[in-house]
Amino acid sequence: MFVIITYDVNEKRVGKVCKKLREYLDWTQNSVFEGEITIGKYKQCMADLNNIVNKETDSVYVYQVKNPRNIKKIVHGREKNPLDLFL
Amino acid sequence: MFVIITYDVNEKRVGKVCKKLREYLDWTQNSVFEGEITIGKYKQCMADLNNIVNKETDSVYVYQVKNPRNIKKIVHGREKNPLDLFL
């Protein structure tokens, strides 16, 4: 399936969440990741994230689209390069 | 259709972009908006945004899902209230 994951977590945990998501998905921009992922990997990713975030204060939003053909992505303006993350 | 819009724009324009998107969609968290929108309203929204952003440096990402039933949203942790935006 195709997923988009966005997060709003305490700055102390931003780095950990970002690093973990990079193991599973492609970074898009700011706190947004996307990509195709198997159900098994997705469950593993969510289990990993649950060990990092504070459920009382942090938020992780997941949008799932079973068939990637049902979602279309359009970039207006500058397309960020994944390397921007490290600059 | 259902759209998710995320943006990464210069801080000078963040407020304007956010205000404009609120006219068309629901705020989710940080720089993420979502909601159902007609094709006509969507085009209008994009035209409005194009007048605000700098295409050389700013990015606006749009994910379109024609049939809202093809997308599922899951919130892990705290669900942000739209009012959080003003706090």
Side-chain angles (χ1 to χ4, degrees):
Chain A
M1 66 177 170
F2 185 87
V3 297
I4 300 160
I5 298 187
T6 79
Y7 54 87
D8 185 1
V9 305
N10 186 285
E11 61 184 29
K12 283 180 273 179
R13 292 179 287 275
V14 165
K16 277 189 183 178
V17 168
C18 185
K19 194 177 165 197
K20 183 52 67 184
L21 283 168
R22 273 174 41 217
E23 293 177 21
Y24 296 94
L25 298 164
D26 301 313
W27 178 74
T28 301
Q29 65 169 16
N30 286 339
S31 49
V32 182
F33 281 76
E34 61 167 61
E36 286 195 49
I37 191 167
T38 62
I39 302 285
K41 284 279 180 195
Y42 169 73
K43 284 183 179 170
Q44 199 180 321
C45 177
M46 286 301 114
D48 288 352
L49 287 181
N50 279 336
N51 287 332
I52 299 170
V53 304
N54 176 329
K55 289 174 198 167
E56 302 295 316
T57 57
D58 298 339
S59 300
V60 177
Y61 284 66
V62 181
Y63 298 92
Q64 296 178 343
V65 179
K66 280 195 184 164
N67 187 338
R69 280 179 298 182
N70 287 328
I71 193 162
K72 186 178 166 188
K73 180 183 172 184
I74 301 146
V75 179
H76 295 266
R78 177 155 167 259
E79 180 145 26
K80 305 275 165 170
N81 187 291
L83 290 173
D84 288 358
L85 190 59
F86 308 103
L87 299 177
Chain B
M1 66 178 169
F2 184 87
V3 297
I4 300 160
I5 298 186
T6 78
Y7 53 88
D8 184 1
V9 305
N10 185 285
E11 62 184 27
K12 283 181 274 180
R13 293 179 286 277
V14 165
K16 276 189 183 176
V17 169
C18 184
K19 194 176 165 196
K20 184 50 69 182
L21 282 169
R22 273 175 39 216
E23 291 177 20
Y24 296 93
L25 297 164
D26 301 313
W27 176 75
T28 300
Q29 64 170 18
N30 288 338
S31 49
V32 182
F33 280 77
E34 61 166 62
E36 288 195 49
I37 191 167
T38 62
I39 302 284
K41 284 278 179 194
Y42 169 74
K43 284 183 179 169
Q44 198 180 321
C45 177
M46 286 301 113
D48 289 352
L49 286 182
N50 279 336
N51 287 332
I52 299 170
V53 303
N54 176 328
K55 288 172 199 170
E56 302 296 318
T57 57
D58 299 340
S59 299
V60 177
Y61 284 66
V62 181
Y63 299 91
Q64 296 179 342
V65 179
K66 279 194 181 162
N67 187 337
R69 279 179 298 180
N70 287 330
I71 192 161
K72 185 178 166 189
K73 179 183 172 186
I74 301 147
V75 179
H76 295 265
R78 178 156 165 256
E79 180 145 27
K80 307 273 166 170
N81 187 292
L83 290 173
D84 289 356
L85 191 60
F86 309 103
L87 298 179

